[in-house]
Amino acid sequence: MADSSTKPVTNGTMGIASRPVQAALDQAGIVLNGPNPWDIQIKDESMLLRLLTGGSLALGESYMDGKWEVEQLDEMIHRLLRSPLAQKSSYLPQLWMRLMAILFNLQKQSRAFQVGQEHYDLGNDIYETMLDRRMVYTCGYWRNADTLDQAQEDKLELVCRKLDLKPGMRVLDIGCGWGSFAEYAAGKYGCEVVGVTVSKEQVELAEERCAGLPVSFRLQDYRAVREQFDAIVSLGMFEHVGHKNYRTFMEVLLRCMKPESLAMLHTIGKNNSLPGVDPWIARYIFPNGEIPSLRRISHALEPELMVEDLHNFGPDYDRTLMSWYRNFDAGWEKLRDRYSERFYRMWTYYLQVCAGAFRARDLQLWQFVLSLGNSPTTYRRPDF
């Protein structure tokens, strides 16, 4: 684990910048250099001035720089997001990200491969260390599970049952990751699966993991797919589509679905329809990403696609992310020769901040089952 020998600055020695910062944190029950595990311990008081103008971007960058510590980062974020302070964010970086999202298509086809290169191609060793044995990089389903491996297998089973997969079906996996769904659907349900991703590293490892199965993988943007399939699944890829392209994504589903096909859209969601994304996440984790809202998704679906089922199990992502963090932290010794201590702090911040956001119900996890509305019978969600 990353460490620092710098001692926290005491309350008595902090400058005038601590007063407005503490006044804001009082709304969340967080104390600078306080005794609770969610209290911020200041190691360099210059970070306080940055916070006054830089908001979440400054908070994350100063953590990466080792200027503050907290024992329970996830709980600190949970408390911040559940407080009135979260409703008052008007910092310049947040406003700039919203303006950029309004004015420009940050997820146009020429930018499609950037997130693959900068996030998913970081190194398979990170993901092999952090994820479950199937390497599923989306929310687990914890209803009947006690371990991450079981939660992810149950999620894959849930998806297959919702799509009513049968042997011989040809299935499209948009954003296929390292082949976890393709391997499961082909191995257990006898399906033929075509996976598309913008990550070169994912294609290479997915092909290795699925050798011998009726599965193929393409380094391809989703907008280039034009064949028809018996079922379509997209697990955790829609967060990269962007609101200017939501209708384009749905048009891909429409041209690739057969009259009786079902499609599964599994995506993180947010509670408002404001454009843009957290500036720290955009700069350091997911370039050009954007979390959708229900209103924006619903508008993009109209009028051809029918919502057969909508399932929210957002709190399960808190538990998934904390499992990923514990795996990453426990395996850091194997990774530290290749990655910096600053990377360790960045990845720690990413996983725990996201866990806190789901715990606060600031973020959701939605699974939509979509159809063309051609079935005369009522769709029934599997009881699993």
Side-chain angles (χ1 to χ4, degrees), residues 90-205:
S90 59
Y91 296 107
L92 183 59
Q94 281 90 332
L95 294 176
W96 176 249
M97 289 301 298
R98 288 178 184 172
L99 182 62
M100 290 287 287
I102 292 170
L103 295 179
F104 302 103
N105 185 354
L106 300 177
Q107 300 82 15
K108 61 186 179 181
Q109 202 154 357
S110 62
R111 293 172 175 260
F113 289 83
Q114 184 180 353
V115 69
Q117 294 163 357
E118 296 185 18
H119 185 82
Y120 298 105
D121 289 346
L122 276 173
N124 286 334
D125 53 350
I126 297 171
Y127 299 104
E128 288 171 325
T129 298
M130 180 178 82
L131 303 177
D132 64 298
R133 65 184 179 87
R134 292 183 179 274
M135 292 188 70
V136 184
Y137 194 23
T138 50
C139 181
Y141 185 57
W142 291 88
R143 179 177 177 181
N144 302 309
D146 296 316
T147 67
L148 180 63
D149 282 346
Q150 190 61 54
Q152 294 295 15
E153 185 152 326
D154 285 356
K155 190 270 296 298
L156 296 175
E157 179 66 18
L158 179 67
V159 172
C160 291
R161 292 190 190 185
K162 284 184 175 182
L163 289 171
D164 195 25
L165 295 188
K166 298 288 191 299
M169 279 187 167
R170 189 164 184 257
V171 183
L172 173 64
D173 184 356
I174 302 176
C176 59
W178 293 272
S180 55
F181 170 81
E183 181 184 27
Y184 191 88
K188 183 170 181 180
Y189 282 84
C191 296
E192 176 189 346
V193 184
V194 174
V196 297
T197 175
V198 293
S199 166
K200 179 176 178 289
E201 294 287 332
Q202 286 184 338
V203 167
E204 291 179 359
L205 187 55

Side-chain angles (χ1 to χ4, degrees), residues 20-31:
V21 172
Q22 184 58 71
L25 292 176
D26 283 343
Q27 300 174 69
I30 297 171
V31 179

Side-chain angles (χ1 to χ4, degrees), residues 11 14 17-34 36 38-42 47-49 51-52 55-56 59 62 68-70 73 75-86 88 91 349:
N11 279 314
M14 285 195 294
S18 66
R19 296 173 187 170
V21 172
Q22 184 58 71
L25 292 176
D26 283 343
Q27 300 174 69
I30 297 171
V31 179
L32 295 176
N33 297 332
N36 300 306
W38 55 81
D39 288 333
I40 296 174
Q41 308 302 314
I42 304 298
M47 60 86 67
L48 296 170
L49 288 171
L51 281 184
L52 292 176
S56 65
L59 186 69
S62 58
W68 60 276
E69 298 286 354
V70 62
L73 177 56
E75 183 59 21
M76 184 203 84
I77 295 298
H78 167 231
R79 289 171 176 265
L80 281 175
L81 292 175
R82 293 293 292 177
S83 74
L85 183 63
K88 300 176 182 177
Y91 296 107
Y349 191 81

